[in-house]
Amino acid sequence: AEALKALETIPYDLVLMDVQMPQMDGLEATRMIRDPRSAVRDHDIPIVAMTANAMQGDRERCLEAGMNDYLSKPVSPRDLADVLEKWLPEETTVTAKEVRAGSESIVAPAAPETEASVFDRAGMMERLMDDEELARTIAEGFLDDIPKRIEVLKTCLKAGDVPGTERQVHTIKGASANVGGERLREVALQMEQAGKAGNLSAVAKLLPEMETRFARLRKAMNAFVNGI
């Protein structure tokens, strides 16, 4: 809804559209942008879907709604650069080329497979263009936010709030993917699928496993944040 308001007054070149949002999801927002009766300035503006739900049929649903392209989260700099270069006006595509050039220069240390499944530091650093300071800031924010999300999730489960439960596990899933917390992302995905089916008891059964996996991830990320 806020994006639609902004597009009524500001001449943007491109929209990166999250698919799952409260009030109005990305599919409905896209249909409104494409509707010639709506007040947006440019009904043909390029719209790129950004979603953590990389499931079969999602891309087709986004394109059917009127989006031009699709990016799966967590987004890599190379994929983002390709999409920007493809859809941005000619005079702005130099930015995309610079992004790709910067990302190709990254040489990230390979982590052992077992460690990477808990905290894929190399993957996170690649997505953040090897910016150590930014990575630590994001890691600190993640470690501060997720315990709060888990507490809200417990409240939603206790209240039988299906939409609230699904929203919390979806957020945890996306945040975990962005920081390279693959094991936490996996259990959050299972919980999200159970939430979509309205099976809150299955979500509740997985909650202790989520807390265990977050504890392991927190230990690994604290070592990173503290330069160990």
Side-chain angles (χ1 to χ4, degrees), residues 42-117:
D42 181 4
H43 300 290
D44 297 317
I45 187 170
I47 303 175
V48 178
M50 299 185 73
T51 177
N53 291 331
M55 300 177 185
Q56 188 173 7
D58 278 356
R59 183 184 181 91
E60 288 72 21
R61 286 171 58 237
C62 292
L63 297 178
E64 286 172 5
M67 299 190 199
N68 301 90
D69 218 326
Y70 181 102
L71 283 171
S72 296
K73 298 177 185 176
V75 178
S76 76
R78 293 182 183 88
D79 291 342
L80 178 59
D82 287 340
V83 166
L84 293 178
E85 188 166 16
K86 181 178 179 181
W87 293 108
L88 280 175
E90 186 77 23
E91 64 271 18
T92 62
T93 55
V94 63
T95 304
K97 293 174 183 175
E98 290 171 352
V99 168
R100 184 186 293 105
S103 67
E104 287 174 351
S105 67
I106 297 170
V107 180
E113 185 177 353
T114 52
E115 290 183 15
S117 65

Side-chain angles (χ1 to χ4, degrees), residues 119 121 124-125 132-133 135-141 143 217-228:
F119 176 39
R121 173 176 172 173
M124 182 180 73
M125 293 306 300
E132 288 269 356
E133 183 178 352
R136 286 195 170 88
T137 299
I138 288 177
E140 289 170 354
L143 293 174
L217 177 58
R218 177 168 53 196
K219 181 178 179 181
M221 292 187 76
N222 274 330
F224 165 71
V225 169
N226 296 321
I228 300 174

Side-chain angles (χ1 to χ4, degrees), residues 28-44:
E28 183 181 354
T30 298
R31 295 187 190 103
M32 292 289 291
I33 293 169
R34 297 298 186 225
D35 188 345
R37 296 168 295 180
S38 69
V40 301
R41 294 167 59 107
D42 181 4
H43 300 290
D44 297 317

